Amino acid sequence: MTFLSKRINNLSESQTIKMAKLGRELSAKGIDVINLSFGEPDFFTPKFVKEAANTAVDENYSYYTPVSGYPELRKAVAEKLLRENGLSYSFDQIVVSTGAKQSLANAVMCIVDPGDEVIVPTPYWVSYSEMIKLGEGETVFINATVENNFKITGAQLEAAITPKTKLFMFSSPCNPTGSVYSKEELADLVAVFEKHPNIYIISDEIYEHINFVGKHASIAEFDSIKDRVILINGFSKSYAMTGWRVGYMAANKEIANACDKLQGQITSGSSSIAQRAALAAYQGGLDSVTEMVDEFKKRRDIVYALLKEIPGVNVNLPDGAFYFFPEIKSYFGKTDGTQTINSAEDLSLFLLNEAHVSTVTGEAFGNSDCIRISYAAAEDKLRDAVSRIKAALAKLS
């Protein structure tokens, strides 16, 4: 007999965390595993950010913070949004949380009621569907394909909307595909939302600065729907601050107040030291970010050229983030003589055990024909990893 709730029993394990765990288990046995499964920059937090944290410790920032974050940090976020994105928010429309993941969960819990439908384009970040499940909503998926660079159109969006639709949830730049919506592509979606005034939009922009196509476009830029947009961002990707756990949302005051209320009963304010570090990040400019993005672009181009050389791998050139999401369904049904590949999960496990390269099955992201490969690793590791993948796949026939 189990006394665990149906809620937790129905929740799926994060596949990204699962594959990283399996990779670590092989590494513990002395096997040289190249981990391309985790979505984490392989850079150190900028020195000036770390110095700000040390100063905060010395200055005794060791007490509870306001639930929504220090006012000075929230003001810095509002100033950043105006300066970089042309978006006007007051500081009391900003809620700082323990990572962008909490900001996303807060928004879902404050908007979705049992039976509400939430539209999610696939591929999507693994936790979206599980957050919706926790909110007792119903997820409606719109399938995007590699041929369209994993982006949906306004026509697809319109076809998915029903009287039960309450929320639309997406990311740009996208995890797991690296796809980036242009302002024109967003306008196509906005034209649909304008006809459906009861639908809210969660725009996950955590990879905002890691894009290779120029200025980031946010769906919150469209005045006609801005009041219904919940913009999610944070410091983990742009400033290599994954372990610091600081994210935020910008939304209308009703939603911001609701998320403050919810967070006050769950975690209260995020770490005081991490918030002071985040404040320094936004006050310190983008030089460190630019250097990191330049390196990611170099790696992207290298890995793209290498993946294109592998027979049966259908890959597009992503415009942002640090992922490839190649279609590998041509290998389904093939065998190396001891095991048969019947799914993307089978292929990911085959690559882990045969090539000692950790990837993530596309099934975790809502696409059963692909796998996700992170290129947040050193260039020599990436070249070695793709070489191993190519050699392992050549054994399948």
Side-chain angles (χ1 to χ4, degrees), residues 175-339:
N175 176 2
T177 66
S179 300
V180 179
Y181 281 84
S182 68
K183 191 162 186 179
E184 292 72 25
E185 290 165 334
L186 292 174
D188 187 36
L189 303 181
V190 169
V192 176
F193 290 126
E194 288 174 342
K195 296 186 288 183
H196 300 276
N198 296 321
I199 299 175
Y200 287 85
I201 302 101
I202 292 179
S203 181
D204 181 353
E205 303 180 19
I206 190 66
Y207 290 92
E208 170 193 1
H209 289 117
I210 307 176
N211 83 79
F212 316 118
V213 293
K215 188 177 184 301
H216 170 73
S218 172
I219 200 167
E221 294 175 35
F222 295 84
D223 290 339
S224 61
I225 65 163
K226 181 190 173 190
D227 200 48
R228 291 186 276 141
V229 174
I230 300 97
L231 186 155
I232 307 293
N233 209 325
F235 301 83
S236 61
K237 313 300 182 182
S238 297
Y239 290 91
M241 294 176 66
T242 51
W244 297 78
R245 309 311 302 140
V246 189
Y248 62 83
M249 70 159 56
N252 70 48
K253 289 184 180 181
E254 182 181 19
I255 293 174
N257 289 340
C259 290
D260 176 276
K261 178 181 178 181
L262 174 64
Q263 188 165 295
Q265 296 291 3
I266 305 295
T267 60
S268 295
S270 62
S271 161
S272 57
I273 306 304
Q275 285 191 55
R276 300 302 297 182
L279 175 61
Y282 269 4
Q283 291 177 336
L286 293 170
D287 288 348
S288 63
V289 179
T290 301
E291 291 175 8
M292 183 174 66
V293 173
D294 288 345
E295 179 63 25
F296 276 135
K297 185 176 185 299
K298 178 184 175 184
R299 296 176 185 177
R300 179 201 66 165
D301 293 344
I302 290 169
V303 174
Y304 179 66
L306 294 173
L307 288 175
K308 291 285 285 184
E309 294 176 357
I310 303 178
V313 173
N314 183 15
V315 62
N316 68 318
L317 183 66
D319 289 328
F322 37 74
Y323 307 107
F324 282 95
F325 202 65
E327 185 180 78
I328 41 74
K329 64 181 180 180
S330 66
Y331 288 94
F332 294 173
K334 294 186 176 183
T335 180
D336 67 346
T338 59
Q339 55 188 316

